[in-house]
Amino acid sequence: MTFQYIINHLHEPHLWCIVLTAPHAELNIQKKLEQQGFITYVPTISVRRNWAGCIKEIHIPTIARCVFVYATKEEMQKEYTALSLQTATALYQSQ
């Protein structure tokens, strides 16, 4: 499905955008976007957590509250608040 989407939309300019999410909602938003046909990326890291003496390894997003989406500006502006990579970089550098 991903390759067919790219082939069908080669004539349109696509960008990597960042969709801001609610806290801890990155993976749910990623799944929702992929169901709508978008190409998404959420970098994750593996960490070990201890719950009641039981150690589990879980995967958490590396960048909090962000989902990277490959789409046209028009597609993203319909439903989501999207930032360009330059804007997001400036926001994170100012913190």
Side-chain angles (χ1 to χ4, degrees), residues 39-75:
I39 299 169
T40 64
Y41 176 66
V42 176
T44 59
I45 188 168
S46 179
V47 296
R48 291 178 185 224
R49 296 289 163 99
N50 187 357
W51 286 286
C54 181
I55 297 175
K56 293 188 178 184
E57 190 168 310
I58 61 171
H59 299 279
I60 60 171
T62 306
I63 304 171
R65 301 185 66 187
C66 291
V67 176
F68 295 90
V69 181
Y70 187 70
T72 64
K73 283 187 180 182
E74 293 78 25
E75 290 173 327

Side-chain angles (χ1 to χ4, degrees), residues 18 83-95:
I18 298 172
L83 298 178
S84 68
L85 289 176
Q86 294 83 5
T87 305
T89 302
L91 285 174
Y92 273 99
Q93 287 178 348
S94 68
Q95 292 180 354

Side-chain angles (χ1 to χ4, degrees), residues 8-59:
N8 292 341
H9 295 88
L10 280 175
H11 63 284
E12 300 172 12
H14 284 67
L15 305 167
W16 278 103
C17 301
I18 298 172
V19 174
L20 299 177
T21 69
H24 310 291
E26 300 90 353
L27 299 178
N28 291 333
I29 297 297
Q30 180 186 25
K31 184 185 288 186
K32 180 180 177 184
L33 286 166
E34 286 178 351
Q35 288 172 348
Q36 294 176 5
F38 289 105
I39 299 169
T40 64
Y41 176 66
V42 176
T44 59
I45 188 168
S46 179
V47 296
R48 291 178 185 224
R49 296 289 163 99
N50 187 357
W51 286 286
C54 181
I55 297 175
K56 293 188 178 184
E57 190 168 310
I58 61 171
H59 299 279

